[in-house]
Amino acid sequence: CPGPEARDPNSMTSENEHQAWIEDEPEFKNSFLHKFKLYETRSNFYMIGWDKSRSFWRVLKIDRLEASELNIQEDPTTYSESECRDLLERIHDGNRPTGGLKFVTTCYGIVGFIKFLGPYYMLLITNRRKIGAICGHTIYAVTKSEMIPVPHSTVRTNMANSKIENRYKKLLCSVDLTKDFYFSYSFHVMHSVQKNICGNETDQFLYETMFVWNEFLTRAIRNHLKNTLWTVALVYGFFKQVKLSISDRDFKLTLIARRSRHYAGTRYLKRGVNEKGRVANDVETEQIVLEENADGQLLQISSVVQNRGSIPLFWSQETSRLNIKPDIILSTKDHNYEATRLHFENLIRRYGNPIIILNLIKTREKKPRESILRAAFANAIEFINRDLIEENRLRFLHWDLNKHSRNKGVNVLSLLGKVAANAFNLTGFFYCQMPTTRSEQLVNCSYYRFCSHYMRKYEFGDCSMENLCIKKDEDGNLETEVENGNRYDCEDQQVKPLMLQKGVLRTNCIDCLDRTNVAQFAYGLVALGHQLHALGYLDEPKIDLEAPLADDLMGIYERMGDTLALQYGGSAAHNKIFSERRGQWKAATQSQEFFRTIQRYYSNAYMDAEKQDAINMFLGHFQPQQGKPALWELDSDQHYNVGRRSPNLVDENSRSFFKRSLSDGNILCESNSPESATGVTQQKVSNQPLPEKLQGGTKGLSESSPEISTCDSEISFSRFTPSMTKRQIFTDLQEDQGFEGDQLCFIRAGDSFNYSNFLDLERLSSSGNSCEEETYER
């Protein structure tokens, strides 16, 4: 993080407006500050902020005479530009004896404040670039940041320049804010479009969601000022917006990946689940399709959300410099799968029912590794489902993607498309038509007041509005209607009914990177067909795999996969299936895959420990203290026994003195035996694997949720869930492709399990190729 650049103290208002194009988007409200200037005197920093229309100006004062404390005061007065200029001149005149008022930097928001062993530091965004817009609200990426010490140099202690302090500073700065962090001033980019349009959270509450990575850094200033005017909420993951066309009509496609800050880290240091039900590499993916008119006004918008995350069991892999594929260690102590249950409770609260699980790990191996987790995961799902009514059960499907991708007679993407289509029909998607009124009415239109009012009623279990009904359309998507008509009038204009997503598809492999990304593309392609059909671009809700639009979408998902793989695994994703789909030369593909394997191995073995330290520091999971061991002196990244934590070990990802890479928290015993792992002994069923409220029905709003307690909740949920058998749900399946009754299919085959209560893909994927087993073994 470079220091502030030297600037002319007298040029308080002059600056290079080299990004004027960023300011061209339409205005919607003026309740946020979007640009700032930082000035300093010997005793204080003064930050001046103003809104886009330059109609109101605010002032923030930060004390610089406190060596190790943070003292911030916000001027409650709202100034005009001329009044603010006069105020700065008076401050300059009053501080002439000590050097006057000096300009420090132009910035675009406060990332937060942090303290190591010496003074507080202020993290600022000093440059940004526009990367897209949603509903007319601009989304930005960080292109430059600075870390500025708060106290004046004359009052800093010797600790400010100590070797340990400098090492902490260097470690924090290794979290590169210019890579894959994005934010918006007026759009809650940490939430899905559905949540933004239909939700009613306050700005203060938004920072506490699981996808805001600088929540800890901004906590002090937000709690003190009781507002979020001065800070930006950074989301980490992936953002890409492109303009595509079909039948000579243009539309914008946006793909967003939001990485959870809970149990966040690198591949071998964050595996499985922790005792709070948080899983490693938890990513929410949202695909947004929107149509605008020639003036840039939004006409229609649709989004669909899916999820990926590590297998929610206590398991780990030791980082090894000698073994490129370390053994998988599965703990067998959590017999009642409490952490697994907490994880799915959280998913239900975030997305509603149904939760559909697509497990892509291997079925058979010469040396059991992934197959150990496959059997244990199947047991966990069966155990949790025992006390749930049929429509609220977790829908589980295991399908060995690796095995079928080796079979030349199997079209993997086509088969995944069938799975995706069935899952999509269960969850539906979000669709909203915008009234073609003036742009400034987009937020305040009575239609959106209706949406917000309806969602609040829906969320708290009040569905008594006489003129409101919820039904499924012909495609199985949930709709909101007015009883006397299919459209809702907004200022004498008719708009299509609102459609909502309820439930989510959760996909995983071992790392939730390579195979998972292929499956998420298949789901995204199915979703895109339905989205474009709802927007009126397609006559049928389907896009063929051979269509140019499918290739465009595959390229975007491939880029997202590479980005997430670099963040978690240290290399780009293995894209063998995508490469073969494009007809890439086989030798080139093999060479590329080998190189990425070596790159990932090197990163995991030599670089991930320091990367994990930096993440823990940035997220506030470790806070340095005088007289306590430094972060790099601790032997493990994982948490200590609950109630016995050291004061400098905080939250759920804190370090302990146990060996690195254990993911089982205070469950300290693990089994190295594949035999014991595959034969998990079932204990007595708990009375309530999921809360009673969730068994009766859940709210269905698909959202990026805040951190919600995973204990039993008193919140009342109400949701209409039609009772259907599996054959009613999957009406497109032939008689010989169905299920074995309405019971769970749980078959022991040798040393492995073949388990699914969602869809029998083994029959769907049967190609009549007698060489399948031989090909697999070879």
Side-chain angles (χ1 to χ4, degrees):
C1 296
E5 298 177 2
R7 291 178 172 86
D8 183 0
N10 296 320
S11 60
M12 293 188 294
T13 59
S14 63
E15 63 178 301
N16 182 13
E17 299 290 348
H18 59 281
Q19 286 186 312
W21 62 272
I22 292 179
E23 320 301 338
D24 293 336
E25 70 271 15
E27 289 179 23
F28 290 92
K29 57 181 180 178
N30 293 326
S31 61
F32 59 91
L33 306 176
H34 84 115
K35 203 168 185 177
F36 309 85
K37 286 186 178 181
L38 184 66
Y39 301 90
E40 66 174 351
T41 66
R42 185 181 181 277
S43 56
N44 293 292
F45 278 121
Y46 293 92
M47 181 170 284
I48 312 300
W50 61 93
D51 68 319
K52 183 176 295 297
S53 64
R54 304 177 76 92
S55 60
F56 76 90
W57 299 60
R58 299 294 297 271
V59 179
L60 187 71
K61 184 173 75 170
I62 305 169
D63 190 353
R64 303 189 67 200
L65 297 182
E66 288 283 353
S68 58
E69 299 295 330
L70 190 60
N71 187 1
I72 303 176
Q73 292 181 331
E74 183 182 36
D75 189 337
T77 306
T78 299
Y79 296 93
S80 66
E81 185 171 1
S82 59
E83 291 171 340
C84 191
R85 186 189 301 274
D86 292 340
L87 175 65
L88 292 178
E89 290 178 356
R90 292 197 301 271
I91 294 174
H92 179 66
D93 293 338
N95 287 272
R96 285 186 185 276
T98 56
L101 184 69
K102 299 178 181 180
F103 175 72
V104 179
T105 186
T106 298
C107 58
Y108 298 92
I110 298 175
V111 174
F113 292 86
I114 192 167
K115 174 183 170 63
F116 308 118
L117 299 176
Y120 270 93
Y121 299 88
M122 177 167 50
L123 280 69
L124 302 175
I125 297 173
T126 54
N127 216 335
R128 67 185 182 187
R129 64 182 175 91
K130 180 180 177 180
I131 57 175
I134 301 176
C135 298
H137 302 268
T138 304
I139 313 299
Y140 298 97
V142 181
T143 56
K144 188 179 180 183
S145 64
E146 294 181 4
M147 185 167 68
I148 301 173
V150 173
H152 192 269
S153 58
T154 58
V155 298
R156 294 177 204 162
T157 63
N158 293 333
M159 183 59 69
N161 294 316
S162 68
K163 182 182 295 186
I164 296 178
E165 182 80 1
N166 288 333
R167 185 168 178 178
Y168 275 126
K169 289 163 60 178
K170 182 179 179 181
L171 186 64
L172 184 74
C173 289
S174 67
V175 179
D176 191 351
L177 299 182
T178 66
K179 290 185 178 179
D180 310 323
F181 283 92
Y182 52 93
F183 67 96
S184 177
Y185 300 105
S186 54
F187 183 81
H188 302 146
V189 72
M190 72 290 293
H191 281 333
S192 67
V193 168
Q194 177 171 320
K195 181 64 175 177
N196 269 281
I197 291 180
C198 302
N200 60 342
E201 281 80 4
T202 64
D203 289 343
Q204 188 74 359
F205 179 74
L206 290 168
Y207 278 69
E208 298 171 5
T209 65
M210 63 189 297
F211 301 115
V212 177
W213 273 56
N214 60 331
E215 186 278 331
F216 167 74
L217 297 176
T218 60
R219 191 182 301 166
I221 183 173
R222 288 184 292 109
N223 290 343
H224 179 69
L225 299 181
K226 306 302 181 185
N227 67 53
T228 59
L229 280 175
W230 305 92
T231 56
V232 297
L234 292 180
V235 180
Y236 184 45
F238 177 81
F239 185 99
K240 181 66 176 177
Q241 186 171 84
V242 296
K243 181 178 287 187
L244 300 174
S245 63
I246 185 171
S247 301
D248 297 325
R249 290 178 62 188
D250 294 335
F251 65 92
K252 283 186 178 179
L253 175 72
T254 306
L255 188 62
I256 300 176
R258 306 174 178 98
R259 292 193 65 187
S260 172
R261 62 183 171 88
H262 301 304
Y263 205 51
T266 56
R267 186 181 178 212
Y268 285 147
L269 301 182
K270 283 292 182 287
R271 285 297 213 198
V273 70
N274 65 15
E275 73 258 14
K276 293 188 177 182
R278 304 296 187 178
V279 295
N281 202 24
D282 191 342
V283 182
E284 176 183 272
T285 302
E286 182 178 19
Q287 180 175 295
I288 304 169
V289 177
L290 57 89
E291 179 188 20
E292 297 174 334
N293 62 16
D295 297 328
Q297 294 179 342
L298 188 63
L299 302 178
Q300 302 179 85
I301 189 167
S302 172
S303 82
V304 63
V305 174
Q306 52 182 318
N307 176 267
R308 69 170 77 182
S310 189
I311 296 173
L313 301 170
F314 290 121
W315 63 282
S316 63
Q317 283 180 282
E318 290 289 343
T319 305
S320 173
R321 298 185 180 182
L322 302 176
N323 186 359
I324 202 168
K325 295 180 69 173
D327 290 338
I328 290 175
I329 303 172
L330 175 65
S331 170
T332 59
K333 291 297 181 180
D334 188 17
H335 296 296
N336 291 327
Y337 301 108
E338 287 299 320
T340 309
R341 178 179 61 85
L342 290 176
H343 172 68
F344 287 113
E345 285 178 11
N346 183 267
L347 278 181
I348 292 171
R349 287 191 177 97
R350 286 158 58 187
Y351 304 109
N353 269 324
I355 303 298
I356 304 166
I357 304 155
L358 178 57
N359 184 31
L360 302 173
I361 61 178
K362 295 178 182 178
T363 304
R364 294 178 301 165
E365 300 164 296
K366 290 183 178 179
K367 179 181 180 181
R369 295 178 68 256
E370 296 186 15
S371 54
I372 298 173
L373 291 177
R374 181 196 178 186
F377 197 13
N379 285 334
I381 299 302
E382 187 207 24
F383 187 89
I384 291 172
N385 274 340
R386 285 179 182 177
D387 281 2
L388 298 180
I389 59 177
E390 177 67 23
E391 61 260 32
N392 286 343
R393 286 181 178 175
L394 304 172
R395 315 292 178 94
F396 182 82
L397 168 66
H398 176 83
W399 193 61
D400 188 342
L401 176 60
N402 184 271
K403 181 182 76 172
H404 291 290
S405 66
R406 291 169 179 262
N407 186 353
K408 294 182 179 180
V410 172
N411 187 329
V412 173
L413 290 177
S414 178
L415 282 174
L416 284 173
K418 295 180 181 180
V419 180
N422 286 294
F424 188 85
N425 287 335
L426 287 174
T427 65
F429 65 105
F430 176 77
Y431 169 80
C432 185
Q433 182 182 4
M434 302 295 177
T436 55
T437 56
R438 297 188 307 275
S439 61
E440 61 266 26
Q441 292 182 337
L442 219 82
V443 173
N444 298 321
C445 175
S446 59
Y447 175 64
Y448 297 99
R449 290 199 298 272
F450 166 79
C451 292
S452 182
H453 175 68
Y454 160 66
M455 290 309 299
R456 286 197 295 272
K457 291 280 188 180
Y458 182 87
E459 181 174 357
F460 291 104
D462 183 356
C463 295
S464 60
M465 299 172 64
E466 294 181 357
N467 66 333
L468 187 66
C469 64
I470 303 174
K471 74 177 190 70
K472 288 222 175 193
D473 66 10
E474 59 184 4
D475 295 324
N477 301 314
L478 287 168
E479 291 186 353
T480 305
E481 279 193 343
V482 177
E483 197 171 75
N484 296 326
N486 289 331
R487 295 174 181 268
Y488 178 76
D489 289 332
C490 180
E491 297 186 359
D492 299 326
Q493 296 187 50
Q494 288 188 331
V495 294
K496 297 178 184 178
L498 178 75
M499 293 193 291
L500 304 173
Q501 177 176 341
K502 294 175 175 62
V504 75
L505 174 65
R506 183 198 192 276
T507 308
N508 73 268
C509 48
I510 286 295
D511 299 323
C512 303
L513 298 178
D514 310 321
R515 288 168 282 183
T516 295
N517 204 61
V518 173
Q520 288 206 326
F521 158 69
Y523 187 82
L525 185 61
V526 170
L528 183 60
H530 284 267
Q531 289 175 296
L532 291 176
H533 176 64
L535 269 66
Y537 283 73
L538 294 176
D539 295 331
E540 297 292 334
K542 183 178 181 181
I543 299 175
D544 192 87
L545 271 171
E546 305 298 331
L549 200 57
D551 291 334
D552 294 334
L553 187 69
M554 184 176 69
I556 300 171
Y557 271 87
E558 186 173 13
R559 185 170 176 179
M560 180 185 74
D562 287 342
T563 300
L564 296 178
L566 282 165
Q567 294 167 6
Y568 183 63
S571 77
H574 292 287
N575 294 315
K576 181 180 178 181
I577 293 177
F578 290 157
S579 299
E580 291 177 349
R581 181 74 191 172
R582 286 192 299 266
Q584 186 172 321
W585 187 33
K586 186 175 181 179
T589 300
Q590 292 175 339
S591 176
Q592 175 181 278
E593 296 298 295
F594 177 75
F595 174 77
R596 291 179 177 179
T597 298
I598 297 301
Q599 185 180 17
R600 191 172 292 185
Y601 158 75
Y602 179 83
S603 178
N604 298 158
Y606 295 95
M607 301 175 66
D608 279 2
E610 184 171 332
K611 187 176 178 180
Q612 185 69 58
D613 286 343
I615 291 172
N616 288 345
M617 176 75 68
F618 188 87
L619 296 176
H621 299 323
F622 179 90
Q623 299 173 36
Q625 291 185 5
Q626 290 279 6
K628 300 293 183 180
L631 179 57
W632 46 86
E633 294 174 352
L634 300 180
D635 183 54
S636 171
D637 172 66
Q638 305 302 323
H639 30 205
Y640 194 55
N641 268 350
V642 176
R644 290 168 51 191
R645 289 181 183 171
S646 171
N648 65 328
L649 298 173
V650 295
D651 208 335
E652 61 200 47
N653 298 337
S654 305
R655 288 177 169 260
S656 75
F657 293 95
F658 293 117
K659 186 165 56 175
R660 188 181 292 273
S661 288
L662 300 180
S663 72
D664 47 24
N666 61 342
I667 302 173
L668 302 180
C669 298
E670 66 277 342
S671 172
N672 293 290
S673 170
E675 290 78 10
S676 62
T678 54
V680 178
T681 304
Q682 297 292 344
Q683 301 296 317
K684 183 178 179 180
V685 180
S686 58
N687 293 330
Q688 286 187 321
L690 291 176
E692 184 177 353
K693 297 288 185 182
L694 296 181
Q695 294 180 28
T698 64
K699 68 175 182 177
L701 178 61
S702 171
E703 63 185 54
S704 313
S705 79
E707 179 176 2
I708 303 175
S709 171
T710 48
C711 303
D712 288 354
S713 172
E714 296 300 322
I715 298 177
S716 174
F717 300 102
S718 177
R719 174 178 179 271
F720 172 73
T721 305
S723 178
M724 295 182 289
T725 66
K726 291 187 180 73
R727 293 203 180 271
Q728 288 174 316
I729 294 173
F730 299 105
T731 55
D732 60 327
L733 295 182
Q734 299 297 323
E735 219 31 61
D736 61 345
Q737 294 175 336
F739 302 87
E740 300 183 11
D742 283 339
Q743 302 300 318
L744 298 178
C745 175
F746 193 75
I747 306 170
R748 186 180 295 274
D751 292 330
S752 63
F753 291 98
N754 187 3
Y755 172 72
S756 172
N757 69 338
F758 174 63
L759 180 64
D760 188 355
L761 265 192
E762 298 298 333
R763 295 184 181 181
L764 283 180
S765 62
S766 177
S767 63
N769 186 348
S770 60
C771 299
E772 177 180 345
E773 298 301 323
E774 179 184 350
T775 302
Y776 176 73
E777 292 299 328
R778 184 166 67 249

